[in-house]
Each structure stands twice: as C-alpha cells, then as structure tokens.
Amino acid sequence: MDSILLSVKKALGIDSECTDFDTELIMHINTVLSTLTQIGVGNEDGFVISGAEEKWSDFVADEPKWSQIRTYVYTKVRLIFDPPQGTAVVEAMNKVANELEWRLYVIADNEQNNE
C-alpha cells in the first residue's frame, strides 16, 4: 500500500473503506507533511494530499533512507487525531517523533550539503 492516506488509516486501525474521518486525517497529514517540508524533507515548495491518490513516492524518493517518514507521519497524526490516554505513552510517542524528526532533518541536511 503506497497511498499516504490509506497507510495512515491502516496504522490507526481504520478500515480503508471507512471515509468518516478522511477530511480530518487529510488535514492532520498535511500539517505533518508541512512540518517535514520546513525541515528540508520533500519538495521545497511543499506537498499536500487531497485523498487516497497521493503516494509516499510522490512526496519523497522511494529510498530506504526515507522509510522512517511513514512512522513519523503516523506517530504525529496519532498524537493529534487519537492521542493515547496514558501520559507515559504520549511522552514515549513524542520522544519517538522528536527523534525521527531529528534524524530526517539530518538526512535532508546531508543531501542538501552534497548537492
């Protein structure tokens, strides 16, 4: 599954056929993609999704070094859309998201310095 929206829905435990939350999820995904753009990941002009048609490879090259983008987007969307009840779990998820954000920033920065 290469669709950004559908893979985030699957990670959240939402059936791909259920469209009840698509508008909200698209808004949150676009917020997270905007954050990634601001740290140098993806197209410098930005990237947004409008439905299930946009794929991860439309946002960034399909290379192993970018594989953590999916986890980052899911984690950030989960924290916004359906945050866990336990404070410890929220803190752990925030820690993972922060680490992934840093690592993605380093990858993007290295790419820009090698151009």
Side-chain angles (χ1 to χ4, degrees):
M1 171 181 323
D2 202 32
S3 165
I4 296 171
L5 176 61
L6 294 181
S7 61
V8 170
K9 285 172 70 169
K10 182 174 181 168
L12 290 169
I14 300 171
D15 187 86
S16 62
E17 300 299 317
C18 176
T19 59
D20 296 345
F21 307 105
D22 283 7
T23 301
E24 188 176 354
L25 290 172
I26 289 168
M27 176 178 60
H28 298 322
I29 291 168
N30 285 334
T31 297
V32 176
L33 294 176
S34 177
T35 299
L36 288 170
T37 299
Q38 289 175 351
I39 64 169
V41 177
N43 186 325
E44 65 185 33
D45 294 329
F47 183 82
V48 296
I49 69 166
S50 57
E53 299 77 32
E54 293 82 11
K55 303 189 178 318
W56 291 105
S57 58
D58 296 333
F59 176 62
V60 72
D62 190 16
E63 299 173 6
K65 66 182 173 188
W66 296 118
S67 62
Q68 55 196 318
I69 286 175
R70 295 175 187 225
T71 302
Y72 176 77
V73 171
Y74 157 73
T75 303
K76 294 297 280 187
V77 169
R78 169 79 193 277
L79 285 167
I80 298 168
F81 176 74
D82 184 25
Q85 296 299 313
T87 305
V89 178
V90 171
E91 287 178 18
M93 289 181 77
N94 274 319
K95 186 175 180 180
V96 167
N98 289 338
E99 181 176 343
L100 290 171
E101 189 173 305
W102 170 251
R103 292 178 183 276
L104 290 166
Y105 168 77
V106 169
I107 293 169
D109 189 52
N110 287 339
E111 270 203 357
Q112 289 174 345
N113 289 334
N114 291 330
E115 290 179 352

